[in-house]
């Protein structure tokens, strides 16, 4: 009987949506736009994060050695780097190789190096970081440890840039939370008012239902279904539009902001589920607020 | 069946009912009469649980309305049929849907609802107008739809507020015949009316109200 009653109430909800389709369409449209803004923000965040991580992956550290570095010191440095889980030695650049590299970079200007009596360039290790997710790798600590080792002259990496990006990502995260929170409040407000309007338009029917012995839940449940349906539909529509937008940008990305060289991925499925979950939860919560305030017959 | 003890009802400063004591037995047919503003509608609404008394107690089948939960009151209302003076029909629903509504809230099986609604509409003489909308019906027909909705669930008590207020004398007679046939099946019927015509030929108990007080009984 319960299933039959629920199915009856669900049909009631669908019929309510159809008979108040304009109000629902406006509410749905506004919810879709809000969720789309949220989704776009997530999409940008996910990709920016991936790009920063990718940049971290390709980052290398140069460990310059003293000219008088001993074989034992060198092997100690090698084994220190080898023991770092997230790092590997990409190559060893001897003093001669460094000079050769410099000559090739200078090209026709390489003549300026002819007057040198000694090779002033140090030998170095080029270390690549393979597991850089911006959190687990303590680049500062590694740099310090290497610099403290005998035989090491200097250690360089573009830490300033990395920190700037990490700072930027933190700001984006914060802005995302604030915008997301405001959008969720907006969605809640929209759902509450949409349901209030539909309740208002059916107040006569509700009064009669109560007078013939309908329980509060019998009257309220269709509205909760309405909120749930509105939540699911707005979440799905927002995701479809977001995907279409993503598809358009990813296929023609060379025309957008010079993104051709970067991978542009869609938000992971966990985030799509999150968007649906947010929209359904807000739909239901909005209904609870609306029906709670409205029913006193 | 219905017991009222020292019932008071105020709407702000105005007194609608004052120290009302009344007992209506199971299967009784009672008229409540009095001039406009005497408190007839308020009395029916109190019995129905549509209003809360300012003080005093209402017992329906031994259940004190002021001591039951909202849910129990909803369930109790399923045993009471109410015919409103203004019919309270839903204009966007058909005659059949309006009547079936009273059974749908109980979660009955659709085939039972269909069968019972057909039977009731036949009883009130509207079997041919099931698919019509209330606004396509005459006043008398709308009143019969309202009665059908009130009796479709076989209530223990039927309350009717000025059920013939908007009808001519022929239609009034038809409606009263309908109420009597419902009463004959064992339903307790309470009708509020100020129509002298309705009371002239009746042998039923009549309660006279004036300014919220019982001023006479017949």
């Amino acid at each position: 009987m319960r299933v039959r009653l629920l199915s009856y109430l669900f049909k009631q909800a669908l019929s309510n949506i159809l008979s108040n389709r304009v109000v629902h369409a406006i509410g749905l449209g506004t919810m879709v736009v809000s969720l789309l803004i949220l989704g776009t923000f997530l999409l940008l965040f996910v990709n920016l994060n991936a790009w920063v991580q990718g940049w971290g992956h390709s980052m290398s550290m140069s460990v310059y050695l003293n000219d008088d570095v001993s074989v034992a010191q060198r092997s100690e440095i090698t084994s220190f780097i080898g023991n770092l889980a997230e790092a590997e030695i990409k190559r060893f650049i001897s003093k001669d190789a460094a000079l050769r590299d410099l000559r090739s970079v200078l090209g026709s200007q390489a003549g300026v190096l002819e007057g040198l009596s000694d090779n002033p360039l140090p030998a170095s290790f080029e270390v690549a970081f393979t597991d850089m997710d911006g959190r687990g790798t303590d680049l500062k600590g590694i740099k310090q440890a290497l610099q403290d080792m005998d035989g090491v002259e200097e250690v360089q990496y573009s830490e300033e840039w990395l920190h700037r990006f990490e700072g930027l990502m933190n700001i984006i995260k914060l802005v995302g939370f604030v915008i997301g929170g405001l959008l969720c409040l907006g969605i809640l407000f929209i759902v509450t008012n949409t349901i209030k309007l539909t309740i208002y338009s059916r107040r006569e029917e509700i009064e009669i239902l109560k007078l013939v012995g309908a329980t509060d839940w019998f009257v309220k449940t269709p509205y909760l279904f309405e909120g749930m349906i509105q939540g699911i539909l707005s979440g799905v529509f927002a995701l479809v539009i977001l995907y279409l937008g993503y598809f358009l940008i990813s296929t023609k990305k060379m025309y957008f902001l010079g993104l051709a060289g970067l991978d542009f991925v869609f938000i992971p499925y966990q985030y799509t589920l999150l968007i649906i979950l947010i929209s359904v939860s807000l739909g239901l919560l909005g209904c609870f607020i609306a029906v709670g305030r409205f029913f006193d017959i | 069946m219905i017991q009222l003890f020292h019932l008071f009802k105020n709407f702000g400063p105005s007194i609608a009912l004052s120290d009302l004591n009344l007992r209506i037995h199971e299967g009784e047919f009672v008229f409540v009469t009095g001039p406009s503003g005497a408190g007839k509608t308020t009395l029916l609404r109190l019995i129905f649980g549509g209003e809360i008394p300012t003080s005093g107690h209402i017992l329906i089948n031994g259940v004190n309305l002021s001591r039951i939960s909202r849910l129990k009151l909803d369930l109790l209302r399923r045993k009471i049929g109410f015919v409103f003076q203004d019919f309270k029909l839903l204009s966007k629903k058909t005659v059949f849907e309006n009547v079936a509504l009273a059974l749908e809230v109980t979660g009955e099986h659709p085939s039972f609802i269909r069968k019972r609604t057909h039977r009731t509409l036949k009883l009130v003489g509207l079997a041919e107008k099931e698919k019509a909308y209330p606004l396509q019906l005459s006043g008398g027909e709308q009143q019969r739809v309202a009665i059908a909705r009130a009796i479709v669930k076989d209530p223990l008590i039927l309350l009717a507020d000025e059920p013939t207020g908007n009808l001519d004398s022929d239609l009034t007679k038809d409606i009263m015949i309908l109420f009597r046939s419902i009463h004959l099946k064992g339903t307790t019927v309470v009708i509020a009316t100020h129509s002298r015509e309705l009371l002239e030929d009746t042998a039923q108990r009549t309660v006279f109200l004036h300014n919220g007080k019982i001023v006479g009984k017949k």
Side-chain angles (χ1 to χ4, degrees):
Chain A
M1 187 180 124
R2 220 161 262 258
V3 175
R4 191 173 58 240
L5 196 59
L6 280 177
S7 123
Y8 170 81
L9 296 174
F10 188 75
K11 281 179 197 158
Q12 280 296 113
L14 291 177
S15 142
N16 291 351
I17 290 174
L18 284 177
S19 53
N20 291 293
R21 50 188 171 274
V22 177
V23 173
H24 274 285
I26 294 169
L28 188 73
T30 325
M31 273 180 80
V32 168
V33 171
S34 306
L35 288 168
L36 199 56
I37 295 170
L38 195 68
T40 307
F41 204 87
L42 272 175
L43 186 68
L44 290 177
F45 179 77
V46 163
N47 280 286
L48 270 176
N49 206 27
W51 295 336
V52 170
Q53 277 190 34
W55 182 70
H57 273 290
S58 64
M59 210 192 77
S60 61
M61 183 182 269
S62 297
V63 182
Y64 298 103
L65 306 176
N66 287 329
D67 286 349
D68 56 355
V69 65
S70 68
V71 177
Q73 285 169 341
R74 231 178 81 177
S75 86
E76 204 178 320
I77 294 165
T78 311
S79 76
F80 175 81
I81 296 167
N83 285 335
L84 293 171
E86 64 272 27
E88 63 176 358
I89 294 171
K90 218 168 153 190
R91 64 176 181 141
F92 171 72
I93 305 165
S94 67
K95 282 174 71 72
D96 292 340
L99 193 61
R100 264 201 309 279
D101 286 352
L102 187 60
R103 272 184 212 283
S104 73
V105 169
L106 290 172
S108 59
Q109 309 294 318
V112 295
L113 301 172
E114 295 305 324
L116 293 172
S117 53
D118 278 333
N119 178 358
L121 298 176
S124 65
F125 285 112
E126 213 175 281
V127 182
F129 286 87
T130 53
D131 181 27
M132 277 282 303
D133 58 4
R135 289 182 295 272
T137 311
D138 178 17
L139 288 171
K140 238 181 186 173
I142 295 169
K143 179 186 175 182
Q144 197 54 52
L146 281 165
Q147 250 167 359
D148 290 346
M149 292 180 84
D150 292 331
V152 174
E153 190 179 286
E154 199 186 350
V155 180
Q156 280 185 350
Y157 76 100
S158 47
E159 61 189 306
E160 228 175 284
W161 273 105
L162 187 67
H163 285 156
R164 272 187 202 170
F165 267 104
E166 280 175 357
L168 183 70
M169 291 309 291
N170 285 336
I171 290 170
I172 290 173
K173 239 186 243 180
L174 186 70
V175 171
F177 277 122
V178 172
I179 291 178
L182 289 174
L183 285 172
C184 286
L185 275 179
I187 291 170
L188 196 61
F189 183 74
I190 293 160
V191 178
T192 307
N193 282 296
T194 307
I195 301 298
K196 270 185 189 172
L197 282 174
T198 64
I199 292 173
Y200 190 74
S201 72
R202 294 183 62 227
R203 63 195 182 286
E204 197 189 353
E205 189 176 343
I206 293 167
E207 187 195 351
I208 292 168
L209 280 171
K210 291 298 293 173
L211 294 176
V212 295
T215 59
D216 281 356
W217 280 107
F218 184 90
V219 183
K220 285 177 183 179
T221 307
Y223 296 105
L224 298 178
F225 278 136
E226 275 179 57
M228 200 174 72
I229 292 169
Q230 198 170 339
I232 293 172
L233 285 181
S234 55
V236 169
F237 283 158
L239 284 172
V240 168
I241 296 170
L242 187 68
Y243 186 79
L244 290 175
Y246 155 77
F247 186 73
L248 190 75
I249 291 174
S250 63
T251 51
K252 298 187 174 181
K253 62 185 175 187
M254 60 284 286
Y255 301 114
F256 292 91
L257 306 167
L259 299 176
L262 295 166
D263 276 339
F264 192 57
V265 296
F266 193 61
I267 50 173
Y269 79 94
Q270 293 96 327
Y271 285 175
T272 62
L273 289 180
L274 182 73
I275 287 177
I276 299 278
L277 190 71
I278 287 174
S279 58
V280 173
S281 308
L282 290 175
L284 279 173
L285 186 62
C287 283
F288 266 111
I289 295 170
V291 297
R293 284 187 179 172
F294 240 87
F295 285 87
D296 191 19
I297 301 159
Chain B
M1 175 63 69
I2 303 169
Q3 292 165 283
L4 313 176
F5 298 104
H6 303 291
L7 202 63
F8 285 83
K9 178 64 187 176
N10 298 352
F11 291 103
S14 69
I15 299 164
L17 293 176
S18 176
D19 199 18
L20 216 74
N21 290 285
L22 183 65
R23 186 183 286 251
I24 297 170
H25 300 284
E26 191 176 343
E28 228 187 326
F29 194 121
V30 177
F31 283 106
V32 177
T33 189
S36 294
K40 303 185 295 291
T41 302
T42 305
L43 175 62
L44 292 198
R45 287 187 63 81
L46 282 164
I47 294 172
F48 184 66
E51 295 285 350
I52 300 165
T54 307
S55 68
H57 295 281
I58 304 163
L59 269 67
I60 306 290
N61 250 357
V63 177
N64 192 333
L65 290 195
S66 53
R67 289 191 187 154
I68 58 169
S69 66
R70 179 82 182 250
L71 177 66
K72 281 189 178 158
L73 178 64
D74 290 334
L75 300 179
L76 183 72
R77 278 178 179 170
R78 293 179 186 179
K79 294 176 185 166
I80 304 173
F82 203 123
V83 181
F84 299 90
Q85 187 176 6
D86 57 352
F87 315 139
K88 287 202 186 299
L89 299 176
L90 293 166
S91 56
K92 286 180 182 171
K93 288 189 186 284
T94 63
V95 166
F96 183 91
E97 288 165 343
N98 266 287
V99 176
L101 199 68
L103 291 174
E104 277 163 358
V105 303
T106 63
E108 290 288 357
H109 195 278
S111 66
F112 173 82
I113 294 174
R114 249 192 325 271
K115 214 189 289 176
R116 180 63 77 88
T117 307
H118 283 308
R119 202 184 75 185
T120 311
L121 282 171
K122 204 172 161 188
L123 183 76
V124 298
L126 285 174
E128 306 300 316
K129 303 231 168 166
E130 276 185 6
K131 288 177 184 165
Y133 287 89
L135 295 178
Q136 297 170 322
L137 304 177
S138 67
E141 286 171 329
Q142 288 186 42
Q143 186 64 287
R144 277 188 280 160
V145 178
I147 294 170
R149 188 183 59 198
I151 63 170
V152 71
K153 54 195 174 182
D154 276 344
L156 297 173
I157 302 168
L158 179 63
L159 306 173
D161 187 12
E162 302 284 4
T164 57
N166 305 314
L167 309 178
D168 61 33
S169 56
D170 285 344
L171 284 172
T172 297
K173 275 179 191 158
D174 288 348
I175 295 294
M176 284 317 295
I177 289 168
L178 194 56
F179 278 123
R180 286 186 208 290
S181 69
I182 296 161
H183 173 237
L184 284 176
K185 288 180 184 170
T187 305
T188 306
V189 179
V190 182
I191 295 178
T193 181
H194 66 267
S195 160
R196 288 175 187 278
E197 185 190 350
L198 213 63
L199 302 168
E200 270 168 8
D201 303 325
T202 183
Q204 264 83 35
R205 180 149 77 110
T206 306
V207 176
F208 296 91
L209 282 182
H210 189 71
N211 287 337
K213 289 182 177 172
I214 294 176
V215 291
K217 291 178 185 175
K218 188 185 92 176

